[in-house]
Amino acid sequence: MNRPYNFSAGPAAIPEEVLQQAAAEMLDWHGSGMGVMEMSHRGKEFISIYENAEADLRELLGVPAHFKILFMQGGGIAENAIVPLNLSRAGVVDFVVTGSWSQKSAKEAAKYASESHIAATAKDSGYTTIPAPDSWQLSRGASYVHICSNETIHGVEFQELPDLKALGSDAPLVVDFSSHVASRSIDWSRVGLAFGGAQKNIGPAGLTIVIVREDLLGHALPACPSAFDYQIVADNDSMFNTPPTWGIYMAGLTFQWLKRQREGDLSGVAAMEARNIAKAKLFYDYVDQSSFYVNKVAANCRSRMNIPFFLRDESRNEAFLAGAKQAGLLQLKGHKSVGGMRASIYNAMPIAGVQALIAYMQDFEQRKA
Ligand SMILES: Cc1ncc(COP(=O)(O)O)c(C=O)c1O
């Protein structure tokens, strides 16, 4: 059976091999007589799943030894509070607002920081650009600077992480990488903390990944709940409370799948990045030459993962979506705040899925209104 191509922004498509392996292991994991959901998180079976997932993620993303990898719960929205609870030291925190997600983060941080300062915003462009880093009004002595490195709703992506030191700031950079983690390499020398929900590029909803430089641990505000205190979570190997065991297992299967991926001489995340560049180029090139569809994001900050696009004649939106569904192309409706369509083409989307979408779009354009 050929499954439809699923363009959901999240929870999103999971590689079929991963789903099949999980199905095969559902009732009896590796002869243990238990399914993963039924295992104690402190038993040797689950500990091995956890340790392999952590080690594979560290290897795939090239995470240096002086960063901790935490497996938490609560998603990106909870991290909008957990990060300032741990890192703000009740001081000023800076935000670069490039879309809905960084805007939400700035609003939430204001509850815990003395000031949530907007160092730059792309609001005037309708969030179709990223303000040049040398124009950011960074605060002196900020506790951290927050960016969302891929804005899932507006389809805007940093092609390079900012070098805060070069901008004259000693503050750690906090990165919400929810919707493009594991799709490209990360320069950890520029990062203090990165967080993201798993449900786009890594696995099912319920698991949140936090990767944090060790020197940033141990500064939580007194009101910070123990389960959200990064130091406590790290000291307990993410098992201060019961971790999201199923999510960690599924993420682990995805990491093994990622390690098996090859593009020419490349493997793992580098192979995915090459594939993601090719997929995104194919799609943007098609939309750009079309007089029927349009993408409004500036060329130098277009997301490789989430591509909002519009029919120039919006009265045909419903027909477009209905036809797409019939053609086996699912969940293309744009976010309600932006409208139009959105194609999310995460790691699990093969290039054949993008080709099928373009073929459908060409066909739809040919049809009579
Ligand atoms: C970039 C980004 N940050 C944060 C979130 C919020 O994540 P959650 O709903 O898991 O809390 C999302 C969800 O789509 C997102 O795309």
Side-chain angles (χ1 to χ4, degrees):
M1 178 191 78
N2 272 347
R3 301 180 80 223
Y5 292 114
N6 181 350
F7 295 89
S8 171
I14 290 175
E16 195 167 321
E17 278 173 52
V18 168
L19 293 174
Q20 274 169 349
Q21 189 176 345
E25 295 177 347
M26 178 67 79
L27 299 186
D28 182 7
W29 182 84
H30 295 202
S32 66
M34 302 177 277
V36 174
M37 278 185 268
E38 306 168 304
M39 288 175 184
S40 163
H41 57 296
R42 305 204 185 276
K44 69 176 182 352
E45 294 87 357
F46 185 76
I47 295 285
S48 76
I49 290 172
Y50 159 84
E51 286 178 350
N52 286 331
E54 206 252 32
D56 285 343
L57 180 59
R58 193 175 283 281
E59 180 187 329
L60 280 162
L61 298 185
V63 179
H66 63 292
F67 281 76
K68 292 280 188 195
I69 295 180
L70 311 179
F71 292 136
M72 299 181 69
Q73 305 186 53
I77 299 265
E79 289 304 324
N80 285 343
I82 298 170
V83 170
L85 277 163
N86 278 274
L87 265 54
S88 74
R89 307 185 197 205
V92 177
V93 293
D94 279 346
F95 284 83
V96 177
V97 178
T98 50
S100 299
W101 290 111
S102 43
Q103 191 183 33
K104 257 196 172 74
S105 303
K107 190 169 174 217
E108 184 74 4
K111 291 186 184 170
Y112 308 102
S114 65
E115 187 193 345
S116 188
H117 172 249
I118 307 301
T121 175
K123 192 170 182 203
D124 286 350
S125 74
Y127 299 121
T128 59
T129 59
I130 292 179
D134 59 10
S135 72
W136 298 356
Q137 305 288 310
L138 298 173
S139 313
R140 195 182 299 265
S143 299
Y144 62 85
V145 178
H146 176 120
I147 63 167
C148 175
S149 50
N150 185 66
E151 289 278 1
T152 323
I153 293 176
H154 289 91
V156 172
E157 181 171 14
F158 281 78
Q159 302 306 323
E160 191 187 8
L161 292 176
D163 180 356
L164 293 185
K165 283 220 160 41
L167 298 173
S169 167
D170 284 330
L173 180 69
V174 169
V175 183
D176 175 356
F177 65 7
S178 297
S179 51
H180 72 169
V181 55
S183 73
R184 62 191 303 151
S185 63
I186 297 177
D187 180 351
W188 289 102
S189 72
R190 297 187 173 181
V191 177
L193 179 147
F195 71 82
Q199 69 271 21
K200 293 144 195 324
N201 239 354
I202 285 184
L207 166 66
T208 315
I209 289 173
V210 176
I211 303 181
V212 53
R213 225 172 55 205
E214 273 171 355
D215 62 287
L216 299 175
L217 300 174
H219 303 289
L221 300 178
C224 181
S226 305
F228 295 153
D229 181 327
Y230 293 140
Q231 177 81 68
I232 294 176
V233 179
D235 287 348
N236 288 278
D237 292 327
S238 299
M239 300 214 191
F240 176 71
N241 57 343
T242 308
T245 53
W246 176 254
I248 293 170
Y249 161 72
M250 288 293 287
L253 295 186
T254 304
F255 299 151
Q256 288 164 17
W257 175 83
L258 271 170
K259 285 173 71 175
R260 293 196 296 273
Q261 301 308 300
R262 298 279 180 278
E263 278 301 322
D265 294 342
L266 304 172
S267 63
V269 170
M272 285 322 313
E273 180 159 8
R275 208 178 288 169
N276 288 328
I277 289 170
K279 278 154 49 184
K281 179 169 170 18
L282 192 65
F283 194 76
Y284 284 115
D285 282 354
Y286 169 66
V287 169
D288 285 346
Q289 60 75 47
S290 156
S291 51
F292 193 82
Y293 304 100
V294 63
N295 167 277
K296 299 175 182 168
V297 178
N300 67 352
C301 52
R302 285 173 161 182
S303 171
R304 294 175 187 162
M305 299 280 100
N306 310 98
I307 310 184
F309 64 96
F310 300 85
L311 277 61
R312 289 194 193 267
D313 175 3
E314 296 233 301
S315 71
R316 300 191 66 195
N317 283 358
E318 289 310 315
F320 179 89
L321 287 167
K325 194 169 173 194
Q326 262 185 342
L329 306 165
L330 306 183
Q331 308 203 73
L332 281 161
K333 191 173 177 153
H335 190 271
K336 59 183 184 304
S337 65
V338 172
M341 310 296 155
R342 174 173 48 170
S344 293
I345 52 172
Y346 298 120
N347 286 348
M349 177 62 65
I351 196 142
V354 178
Q355 287 161 341
L357 174 57
I358 293 172
Y360 168 71
M361 288 167 71
Q362 284 168 328
D363 178 57
F364 187 81
E365 182 176 351
Q366 303 309 320
R367 288 184 216 164
K368 294 236 161 23

